[in-house]
Amino acid sequence: MNFTETDDPEHSPHSAAERTAAATRSTWVSVGVNLVLSTLQIVVGVLAKSQALIADGIHSLSDLVADGVVLLANHHSQKDADEDHPYGHQRFETAASLVLGLLLLAVGVGMVWSALVKLQDPGTIAVVHPVALWVAGVALVSKELLFRYMLRVAKMVKSSMLVANAWHARSDAASSLVVGLGLAGNLLGFPLLDPIAALIVGLMVGKMGWSFGWDALHDLMDRGLDEAEVQAIRATLLATPGVAGVHDVRTRKMGDMVVADAHIEVDATLTVEEGHNIAVAARAAVLQRHRVLNLMTHVDPARRPDADHLPPG
């Protein structure tokens, strides 16, 4: 999930320190919930002979690893710019989202493989103990509440990394629902439904992992903003006094921020200093109103705005 200017037409009111504190707080809440649930699900799953509940517990356990990645990324992404990283370390968040996606994909593949092995030998599938169904219900409610809490924090501070981690929790809630249905079917005399539920959970987790990983990979390859956000930046530039036109607006993602460049057109009779002052004002307006980390402006004369594109000679 990516944020757009329509989520908040003004710049985010939260400072970097506030975003870090909110991210850390919500992630530690997730750590506590996942630690309790994964232990409960795996222990009860083993005792109740439920492959689906064990798979769900392993999914919860993977959340603990994911939470660790988020905490690490949240710490490093807030570092100031340095000589090696002149635009800062915001892409550490994108890299963390890629790791989360790969983690989910690996967990999903493992779940699918385990379920398929079990389905090939139906005689080994046991009838589960009813307590497994109660544990699945507790996990479902807990993960859904955790998802809603984490997504609210993620939207408040506008962090794609936290959105990814929140949806990781939602995938657990969905998997717990599937597990609950599989356990209910097993208890009603259809033992195959337990490994089938584990198989479905694995496919769900794998699909979400692929989605997050692919999205993060594109951002790391300098994917630009969508057209609506580009047009919003263009409108801000055009609203700056002295700007007669705008062209060649280009953007690329830098974590949850954006690096952009644009050609602004000004009256050709202005002095270099006057043109420079207009460019400075245009840049300041964009940085204030949009989630732009830096904007490089190029000043063109309005009479020949594309002269820089002409072949030499």
Side-chain angles (χ1 to χ4, degrees), residues 130-145:
V131 70
L133 184 58
W134 286 100
V135 172
V138 171
L140 170 61
V141 174
S142 300
K143 285 303 179 74
E144 180 63 22
L145 292 176

Side-chain angles (χ1 to χ4, degrees), residues 218-248:
H218 275 287
D219 283 355
L220 288 173
M221 294 169 63
D222 282 345
R223 177 168 58 180
L225 296 177
D226 60 42
E227 187 60 26
E229 288 189 87
V230 173
Q231 290 302 324
I233 293 174
R234 184 190 301 274
T236 299
L237 290 170
L238 285 171
T240 304
V243 175
V246 176
H247 63 278
D248 287 356

Side-chain angles (χ1 to χ4, degrees), residues 120-132:
Q120 288 177 351
D121 192 5
T124 62
I125 302 174
V127 176
V128 302
H129 192 282
V131 70

Side-chain angles (χ1 to χ4, degrees), residues 5 9 224-240 243 246 248-252 257-264 282-283 285-287 289-297:
E5 299 297 335
L225 296 177
D226 60 42
E227 187 60 26
E229 288 189 87
V230 173
Q231 290 302 324
I233 293 174
R234 184 190 301 274
T236 299
L237 290 170
L238 285 171
T240 304
V243 175
V246 176
D248 287 356
V249 178
R250 296 181 295 182
T251 62
R252 60 185 186 274
M257 299 296 286
V258 179
V259 175
D261 56 82
H263 289 223
I264 62 173
R283 178 181 181 274
V286 170
L287 265 59
R289 188 169 179 79
H290 305 276
R291 56 188 181 107
V292 175
L293 183 67
N294 185 63
L295 172 69
M296 177 68 69
T297 56

Side-chain angles (χ1 to χ4, degrees), residues 13 30 47 96 117 120 142 146 158 166 177 230 268 276 286 295 303:
S30 178
L47 296 176
V117 170
Q120 288 177 351
S142 300
L146 179 63
K158 296 193 171 186
L177 175 61
V230 173
H276 169 76
V286 170
L295 172 69
R303 288 182 301 186

Side-chain angles (χ1 to χ4, degrees), residues 12 43 80 100 143-145 215 248 267 285 287 300:
S12 175
V43 170
D80 294 331
L100 288 176
K143 285 303 179 74
E144 180 63 22
L145 292 176
D215 196 53
D248 287 356
D267 187 343
L287 265 59
D300 285 327

